[in-house]
Amino acid sequence: MHELSIAKSLVEIAIAEANKVEHQVEAVHIKVGALSGVVPDALMAAYEFVTEATCLEGSRLVIENCPVQIFCPDCNKLTTLPDTQNFDCSQCGKTSGDLRGGRELELTALEIRS
Ligand SMILES: [Zn+2]
C-alpha cells in the first residue's frame, strides 16, 4: 500500500510548513492527478493514520482530483480527458502522448486555524 508512504511524506512537508507559521493547521490541500497511481480513498485513510499524535491530528485532507490533459500539436489544442482510457485529441481524434496534466501529486496549500 504505497498511499501510506505518500501520506507520510506529504505530512512531513505539511508539518514543516506548519512549524514555520506556528499555527494549528485546519486542512491540508493536495492535488492528485488521475495518472498519479494514488487512490484518493486510500490516501484519505492513510492520512488519518499518519497524522495521529502529530500537530496535524484532526486536520482535514482536501484532495483536488486533476484530470488527464493532453496537448495535440496538430490542432495546437489542449484536451481534458474524461478518463484514462483514451488519449485522443477532442478535435481531430488523433492520439497524443504529450501529457500536460494528470501526474500531479503535490501539496498546494495549508489552511490555518485562526
Ligand atoms: Zn488534434
Side-chain angles (χ1 to χ4, degrees), residues 71-77 79 88-94:
F71 180 76
C72 175
D74 294 347
C75 310
N76 198 23
K77 190 180 186 305
T79 297
D88 302 337
C89 168
S90 64
Q91 197 153 304
C92 68
K94 223 186 257 178

Side-chain angles (χ1 to χ4, degrees), residues 8 20 29 44 63 66 71 97 99 102 107:
K8 255 187 201 156
K20 264 187 231 165
H29 291 246
M44 225 41 131
I63 296 177
C66 301
F71 180 76
L99 275 178
L107 193 100

